[in-house]
Amino acid sequence: MAHHKLHLPEKICLCCGKAFAWRKKWQRDWQQVKYCSERCRKNRHPRDNTNA
């Protein structure tokens, strides 16, 4: 059985600027996901203070 992960939605990380794809763990809150990793979330730039 082939895995069909070719058409997953992507976003650009606000911290590092890299593209990252949808993950199952983000299924319920994909609209609020802004960072590709915990590292980027913790080291976010000072200019991104929307919910701080």
Side-chain angles (χ1 to χ4, degrees), residues 4-38:
H4 300 286
K5 294 187 178 183
L6 300 175
H7 305 291
L8 296 175
E10 290 187 349
K11 289 187 177 185
I12 303 296
C13 179
L14 294 179
C15 182
C16 67
K18 294 182 181 180
F20 63 97
W22 180 91
R23 294 185 190 174
K24 187 172 176 106
K25 70 179 186 178
W26 294 328
Q27 182 173 347
R28 293 185 185 194
D29 60 346
W30 176 243
Q31 298 298 322
Q32 290 79 32
V33 175
K34 298 179 184 178
Y35 304 102
C36 64
S37 65
E38 279 293 312

